[in-house]
Amino acid sequence: MKAQVFRGVNQLSYEEVPVPEIKPDEVLVRVNVVGLCQSDIKKIRYPLYNPPRIFGHETAGTIAAVGAEVQDWQVGQRVVVLHHIPCMHCGYCLNDNFSMCEVYKNITTTAGFIPSGGGFAEYVKVPAHIVQHGGLIPIPEAVTFEQASFVEPTNCCLKAVKKAQIAPGQTVLVTGAGPIGLMFIMLVRYFGARAIATDLLPTRIEKALSVGAEAAFDARDPDLVSKIHALTEDMGVDTSLLAVPSDKAFFQALDCTRKGGKILFFAEFPDEVEIPINPNILYRREIDLMGSYSSSFRVQSLAADIVFNQRIDVDALISDRYPLRDLDAAVEQAVAPSPETYKILIYP
Ligand SMILES: [Zn+2]
Ligand SMILES: [Zn+2]
């Protein structure tokens, strides 16, 4: 089969590799669509992981083979493949910090080499732990593979929205209106809150409005803070969701968030960035700073429900489709997005 193998920083190689062999308790899935995620781009472009690996984790496909001991799944079923499932009994899992669980981190789907998701290949192997604990989700007939590939990113965004306790009637600032920021806007709306967005690109500002933001501004607007105060009875927003790794965006969010409000870091910053902060901001203004990384088992069924029942319009997020062979071009486009670039999907 063909796969895109990570051979070193910025070195993707489109290669012939063996189809993974499955054990009696494993499942093999033919990949129909896999989403390109910001985290894939980081793993490809920064020295975070030793090669060789096959990345890709927003996978929707068709079961191609099942091991002799697998009872609940049949060849031909359309499925979302989750690349991690927590153990559910370690100290992290018992406190709902599933993405810190060692089992969650270490057991993953693979298309060969060091297991790393494996979605950027024609076939991906699903290990027993993931097969047995809810990591395969059947795709309803009315749902396309493309839509289904959004279950994982929806889970990650939903986890953040839940962690920030976004509730009806609140106002939320979303900094950055790329694919993640746009999904946040949709979810904030779904939870009955108002969304205000910022971005640097005029097209993204327009797009934010078209997917449901009540207002959207250029992040460089010198009157941004007063405009947001004008929309929030001079209090500021209840919560800010940072969907761009920018310290400027953080300080802007700090100025725009009300006393007692929350700021949630969703984007991964470059490691060298440090943000100086006066602790009295946390004390006197009671601003809560929080982060949300990866997905949560707890919101998995809700994430699937939201996508499968089209409670948010994930199709509106798709801007480009690339064949797997051109993954490097897709990464280039995501790194230097054109004004119309949003979610990029990859077809093996
Ligand atoms: Zn992802
Ligand atoms: Zn655990």
Side-chain angles (χ1 to χ4, degrees):
M1 68 172 184
K2 290 288 194 213
Q4 283 283 3
V5 184
F6 169 73
R7 292 270 172 204
V9 174
N10 260 327
Q11 286 175 268
L12 283 173
S13 152
Y14 189 54
E15 294 177 18
E16 191 70 33
V17 300
V19 174
E21 281 178 29
I22 55 167
K23 296 194 195 111
D25 51 3
E26 295 179 330
V27 168
L28 186 71
V29 173
R30 183 163 62 85
V31 180
N32 288 79
V33 181
V34 57
L36 178 62
C37 176
Q38 276 303 323
S39 69
D40 298 317
I41 293 163
K42 295 227 177 61
K43 291 169 197 166
I44 292 165
R45 292 176 55 92
Y46 296 99
L48 300 171
Y49 293 94
N50 301 333
R53 293 169 185 265
I54 299 172
F55 296 124
H57 59 272
E58 299 178 359
T59 304
T62 311
I63 293 182
V66 297
E69 292 167 15
V70 174
Q71 308 218 314
D72 300 334
W73 299 98
Q74 282 97 44
V75 171
Q77 273 182 289
R78 301 160 76 236
V79 287
V80 172
V81 180
L82 299 181
H83 62 308
H84 301 297
I85 292 286
C87 79
M88 301 306 285
H89 54 72
C90 73
Y92 296 116
C93 286
L94 292 177
N95 287 288
D96 275 19
N97 301 126
F98 303 112
S99 54
M100 301 298 135
C101 167
E102 287 301 316
V103 168
Y104 179 94
K105 285 180 191 285
N106 294 330
I107 297 182
T108 179
T109 50
T110 179
F113 307 107
I114 307 164
S116 302
F120 296 144
E122 286 182 79
Y123 292 91
V124 63
K125 181 177 87 158
V126 186
H129 174 72
I130 293 180
V131 173
Q132 288 160 11
H133 297 95
L136 290 172
I137 304 167
I139 302 173
E141 217 166 292
V143 175
T144 64
F145 285 115
E146 289 192 344
Q147 291 162 344
S149 73
F150 282 90
V151 169
E152 195 272 347
T154 299
N155 183 320
C156 297
C157 292
L158 186 58
K159 169 182 164 177
V161 165
K162 287 280 204 181
K163 186 161 181 178
Q165 296 175 304
I166 289 169
Q170 292 186 335
T171 306
V172 177
L173 173 65
V174 177
T175 67
I180 291 294
L182 294 172
M183 185 177 278
F184 272 139
I185 293 166
M186 293 176 176
L187 287 172
V188 163
R189 284 279 310 258
Y190 176 63
F191 276 80
R194 305 152 70 206
I196 301 171
T198 59
D199 202 280
L200 300 173
L201 292 172
T203 46
R204 289 190 171 192
I205 292 169
E206 279 305 309
K207 184 83 170 174
L209 293 169
S210 79
V211 305
E214 182 175 303
F217 301 110
D218 189 313
R220 291 158 299 201
D221 186 337
D223 299 325
L224 180 72
V225 177
S226 59
K227 285 179 179 173
I228 286 179
H229 276 258
L231 288 167
T232 53
E233 292 166 10
D234 217 14
M235 285 173 70
V237 299
D238 298 282
T239 296
S240 293
L241 300 174
L242 300 185
V244 283
S246 148
D247 50 351
K248 279 203 192 85
F250 168 72
F251 286 114
Q252 223 163 34
L254 203 51
D255 290 336
C256 293
T257 303
R258 70 165 168 84
K259 293 172 214 162
K262 303 182 179 81
I263 300 177
L264 183 139
F265 288 80
F266 191 81
E268 183 168 15
F269 281 66
D271 275 325
E272 59 276 15
V273 174
E274 294 196 355
I275 295 182
I277 185 159
N278 179 333
N280 283 333
I281 288 166
L282 311 184
Y283 176 69
R284 292 193 200 125
R285 282 179 62 196
E286 290 194 350
I287 299 279
D288 284 342
L289 300 182
M290 48 180 64
S292 185
Y293 156 73
S294 195
S295 61
S296 165
F297 190 78
R298 195 68 74 206
V299 300
Q300 182 48 47
S301 54
L302 181 56
D305 173 277
I306 284 173
V307 173
F308 292 163
N309 293 302
Q310 294 171 17
R311 302 187 197 284
I312 63 172
D313 179 13
V314 293
D315 288 324
L317 300 173
I318 305 168
S319 63
D320 296 271
R321 297 165 175 88
Y322 280 85
L324 182 62
R325 124 174 52 84
D326 295 334
L327 180 62
D328 47 357
V331 170
E332 284 309 315
Q333 185 182 338
V335 171
S338 73
E340 305 290 342
T341 301
Y342 300 101
K343 186 70 177 182
I344 299 175
L345 300 180
I346 308 295
Y347 280 78

